[in-house]
Amino acid sequence: MHILLTGATGLLGQGVLNACLSSPDVTRITVLARRPLDRAEAKVNEVLLEDFSQAANVQAQLSGIDAAFYCAGAPPIGTAEKEYRRVTFELTLSVARAYAAANPQGRFFYVSGANSDPESRLMPLRIKGETEDALQRLPVTTVMLRPGGILPEEGTHSPHGVMRMFHALASPLQGMIVKNVPGAATTNGAIGRAMIALARSPSPPAIVENREINQLGQPAA
């Protein structure tokens, strides 16, 4: 498969990129990014776009891609509502529309969040719910993944210092948390492996909750 990946340098995107690089089912990865990656990989082709709102300008470069893994976003804590809406809703829809126009038979996978709901009184959950609704109206197959807490697998880390400190403290219990509370937390690598499994599926579900992400995203034996 040829995969389009956004957010490759964030905590989530790092794990998804590693899963794609490790998967024999993924033969090519196009990374849509604002800045060049700090690693060179034979499978990876980079498309640089400083402003994702201009995704239509690179539509031709997105053609022939089997599935898009959208992992970009803004942190829900510390981001003002106007900026959170711009990043979460407007930029996501801009890329999704360009991808759908270039690949009408493709699939768009969006990493949303647990309890996303356009009627929620919590701002991040409301905006993510609105984004899900808008994506589902596009003329392309869409899949919403709703993880709870996202923990880093080995070799990945959050770009935010506070989250790195939290993950370091949680690291000794990480495996126990995912195993014993499978509906509450997952890892960035598990999300990547789940996406790949869903992209291979002839008929993926429209919504995938945290528990199913962990089931689909188990590492290969």
Side-chain angles (χ1 to χ4, degrees), residues 30-168:
T30 292
V31 171
L32 181 64
R34 297 174 183 84
R35 300 176 299 277
L37 297 178
D38 59 1
R39 58 194 289 187
E41 300 285 350
K43 283 187 182 182
V44 175
N45 171 60
E46 296 181 48
V47 174
L48 298 181
L49 182 65
E50 185 173 346
D51 185 353
F52 278 18
S53 69
Q54 304 301 312
N57 294 342
V58 296
Q59 180 177 310
Q61 294 172 263
L62 306 183
S63 180
I65 299 179
D66 299 294
F69 293 171
Y70 197 91
C71 301
I77 298 174
T79 304
E81 181 170 350
K82 182 178 180 181
E83 176 65 7
Y84 192 81
R85 176 174 293 279
R86 186 186 74 85
V87 174
T88 302
F89 184 90
E90 296 173 14
L91 299 188
T92 302
L93 265 293
S94 178
V95 174
R97 289 177 181 132
Y99 173 79
N103 304 278
Q105 303 304 315
R107 295 173 173 182
F108 191 90
F109 293 81
Y110 173 61
V111 181
S112 182
N115 302 311
S116 293
D117 182 345
E119 302 300 322
S120 177
R121 287 184 286 183
L122 296 177
M123 180 273 289
L125 301 183
R126 183 176 66 253
I127 293 176
K128 284 189 174 182
E130 292 171 359
T131 304
E132 288 186 0
D133 283 357
L135 289 172
Q136 289 169 335
R137 291 194 291 269
L138 293 177
V140 67
T141 297
T142 56
V143 178
M144 312 299 153
L145 290 92
R146 292 178 173 176
I150 301 176
L151 301 170
E153 290 193 345
E154 185 176 357
T156 67
H157 62 272
S158 172
H160 305 289
V162 173
M163 291 306 298
R164 282 200 301 272
M165 182 174 64
F166 169 77
H167 292 147

